[in-house]
Amino acid sequence: MTGPLRPEFHEGQVLAAADLSATVAHARGAAARQARYLHEWGIAEGLELVTAPRTDPLTGARHVEVSLAAGMAVDGTGREIVVAEPVVLRESDFEDVNGADLPTGEPYPVFLASADREPSRSPVAGSCGGTAGRTRVEETYQVLFGRLGDERLVADQRPPEVGAAPADPPVRWLVLLGYVRWTDGHFAGVEVAARGVARRHAGVRADTVSARAGSLTLRADPAAREGRPALVLSGGDPPSLVFGLYQGNGTVDPLMTVAANGNLSIQGSFSGRISVGSVLVQSGTATDGTLLPLPAGVTPEQVADGRVVLHVHLTPRVPATRSDSALHSTVEAAVGPDRRVRCRIRVFDPLASPVEVHDRPGAVDFLVLAAVAAADGGGRG
C-alpha cells in the first residue's frame, strides 16, 4: 500500500474535479489520522441527554421528553460528529426498535453515529460542457436506539487501517450517548451509565505533557469548582507536587504535598500495608467494659487469622476517693479475647465508721502492641 498522495499543481494545468477532490481527501485523511492516533475517541463537548416533564393528553400520565444537547464527538475513525443544535428524540424511533419488548426497568442505550447526506439546498455546478451536479455534502449524524445489551458493541469496534482514507459514506461507528428508560409508551428518564458501561469522553494520547507557564494542573472537571480535587505539579521556587481541593477563590488547598527534597506532608492520617516484623502501637485510657482500639492500619480480620499478634499491657489508675484516708486495691485488671477491658477496684476507709468495703468499676492506662507475624514461620518479608 502506498502512502498518502498529496496533489501538486503546475502552471497551465487543467484541473479536473478529481484533482480538487484529491486535495480535500488529503486534508481529510491527515485530520482523521491525527484524531485517531493522537487522541482517544469519544464525546468532546455537550451531547447530554436532557429531560423535560410532559403529560400525556389522553391518559394524563406523567413522562419526560428527551432531547440531545448540542455538542461534538470524535468517532474511532477520526471523524468529527457535530450536533449544531438540540434535537428531540422521537418515541416512534424507539418503538421501531424496542416496541415489542416486555415491560422492564432496564435502561436502553442511545447511540450517535456519523452520516453523509445531500443538503436540502446545495450549489449546483454549471460549466461549459460539464455535467451539472451538486457540489456540497452535509456531514451530519443519526441518533440510534439500541436493544438491551447493545452497549457492549462499543468495545468491539475496531479502527480502520493506518493508511485508510475516510470512507464515503462513512463507516458506522457507535458513540454511546447514554440510556433512556421506557414506561407505558413514553420515555421515563435517562441515565449516563448502565450495566457497567458509561458514556465515553474524548482524551489525549501522550508520553510527555509539558506546561508552558511552569505549573501543570490535573483536575476532575472542565472548570475549577470549589471542593473538587486537583493535582498541581509546580516548577516554581521551590518545586512541589500538591494534591488538594479547590477553594472558592480558585486556589488549591493542599491535602498532600511532596517537596523537592522528597519530604511528604499530609493533612490527614496515613495508612497502608504493614510489613512483616513491624510493630504498631496504640495507647490511651479505658474504663471497665471498654473495647480497646487497634493501632492504625490493623484490622480485626488480621488479628483473627493470626497475621497480627497483639500484646496488651494494662496499668490500673488510682481512683478518686472521698477522703485522704481511703485505701484501694486492684481486684481485676485484664482484657478478654474480644479486647474488652475488665477492671474492678476495691476501696475501703479504715477510719470510717462503720468500715465499708466497696468494689467498683475502675480505669486503666493501656498499651497495645501489634506485631506483624511472619508468614509460615519465615523471617522478615
Side-chain angles (χ1 to χ4, degrees), residues 216-225 228-232 243-244 246 250 252:
L216 188 66
T217 301
L218 180 66
R219 60 177 179 240
D221 304 282
R225 293 170 49 197
R228 297 291 290 166
L231 185 67
V232 181
F243 170 79
Y246 274 111
V252 176

Side-chain angles (χ1 to χ4, degrees), residues 81-95:
I81 309 175
V82 178
V83 179
E85 57 187 15
V87 58
V88 176
L89 274 58
R90 294 194 295 263
E91 292 179 334
S92 59
D93 291 344
F94 178 90
E95 289 185 310

Side-chain angles (χ1 to χ4, degrees), residues 238-252:
S240 63
L241 176 65
V242 172
F243 170 79
L245 302 179
Y246 274 111
Q247 302 182 94
N249 59 5
T251 61
V252 176

Side-chain angles (χ1 to χ4, degrees), residues 97-116:
V97 178
N98 298 297
D101 285 5
L102 295 175
T104 177
E106 289 292 318
Y108 290 83
V110 184
F111 302 103
L112 183 71
S114 62
D116 283 349

Side-chain angles (χ1 to χ4, degrees), residues 53-72:
R54 295 289 184 267
T55 301
D56 190 313
L58 299 179
T59 65
R62 302 295 299 272
H63 62 97
V64 297
E65 178 185 81
V66 179
S67 299
L68 174 62
M72 189 193 84

